[in-house]
Amino acid sequence: MSILIYAESAEGKFKKVAFELASYAKKVAEALGSTVTAITFNTTDASELAKYGVDKVLKVNNPKLTSFTAKAYADAIQQAAKNENAKVVVLSSTTDSAYLSSLVAVSLDAGFASNVVGLPVSTSPFQVKRNAFSNKAFNITEITTEVKVLGLAKNSFGIVESSASLTEEDFLPTINDSDFGIKIESTEKASGKVSIADADIVVSGGRGLKGPENWGLIEDLAAVLGAATACSKPVSDLGWRPHGEHVGQTGKPVSANLYIAIGISGAIQHIAGINSSKVKVVINIDPEAPFFKVADYGIVGDAFEVVPKLIEKLKVFKAQ
Ligand SMILES: Cc1cc2nc3c(=O)[nH]c(=O)nc-3n(C[C@H](O)[C@H](O)[C@H](O)COP(=O)(O)OP(=O)(O)OC[C@H]3O[C@@H](n4cnc5c(N)ncnc54)[C@H](O)[C@@H]3O)c2cc1C
């Protein structure tokens, strides 16, 4: 019996969530007295996973699976779970994995709990803690099926190193033509930018920035921090920034380690999307702005004065 994880990668390299899943699965495996198996798709070097407690890797190398195809990936994961007699399958909460999780759960007749935060509260009965109501509440969910599928909320567990001696196997799942009902024709990537979904740090601007001509401030701070840039909804509605940067209830969710909100009031719909970020910093001229109530650190001041000073200090700090 093992715990199966889907170790996500992009262009052959593991994403950070793969290491978080491995770290998490290792701890669950210890509690259940089992081992951790990872399934990978078209990765070049799987050995890195050993550092985070993975015992075995099933490597799928199939040119047909170079682009993410939910049904085909789900079929492969389901076959791997059966092969390994996995009773717990752990996926992340990225867009791709959220899409996959329910397909995998259905094909395994498994109960599925999304937004899981932390280790199981109990393994018998199997209960997990989950985020609910846009991260404003937690609930305890019991999964009663023999096989359980968990969707781990991003950044909820962290990356923990623990060694394992890794065995690697090629895995050849049966993939049918009918798995390719949806085909990605082309992908256009914003080059040289950190994507919001993968970012550890996000610098976000709101209407307080006054206009698109001032976005250099956000971009300069993001550049010095190696961060992704984001914005509030009105900013993208006004066409100051692309819609892909809009975060919140109706935009992208952000689970960064550090979220810096500049000139954003902190409306409930904005907070709903960034609530699961670990450390929230707000820079706002109005001390009564609602964002200060949910922030870990707050600077009351004019962004046009504060941000350039912050950039300057960070540059000096980095140079040291
Ligand atoms: C159904 C629905 C869904 C929505 N979904 C979303 C969503 O997903 N994401 C989202 O963001 N919003 C969403 N909204 C909109 C949301 O309610 C707010 O209107 C929006 O978040 C406000 O954006 P803002 O904070 O950038 O602008 P404002 O509310 O105009 O706030 C600007 C802030 O900048 C500050 N400021 C001004 N000048 C400066 C300065 N020089 N330096 C520093 N600070 C300054 C002000 O004090 C103020 O707090 C939604 C609304 C609805 C009704």
Side-chain angles (χ1 to χ4, degrees), residues 178-199:
S178 59
D179 285 333
F180 296 92
I182 295 173
K183 207 170 106 208
I184 295 175
E185 288 289 342
S186 65
T187 306
E188 273 177 44
K189 280 193 172 174
S191 60
K193 286 198 156 192
V194 185
S195 87
I196 294 176
D198 296 329

Side-chain angles (χ1 to χ4, degrees), residues 207 210 232-233 246-250 263 265 269-270 284 302-303:
R207 213 154 34 180
K210 319 286 186 216
S232 65
K233 183 172 184 296
H246 149 208
V247 299
Q249 187 185 327
T250 49
S265 56
Q269 297 90 354
H270 187 87
N284 198 303
D302 185 336

Side-chain angles (χ1 to χ4, degrees), residues 196-238:
I196 294 176
D198 296 329
D200 253 353
I201 306 175
V202 174
V203 178
S204 191
R207 213 154 34 180
L209 268 291
K210 319 286 186 216
E213 66 280 7
N214 297 323
W215 232 259
L217 218 51
I218 300 290
E219 281 172 344
D220 288 353
L221 181 56
V224 76
L225 289 168
T229 55
C231 66
S232 65
K233 183 172 184 296
V235 164
S236 65
D237 286 348
L238 287 162

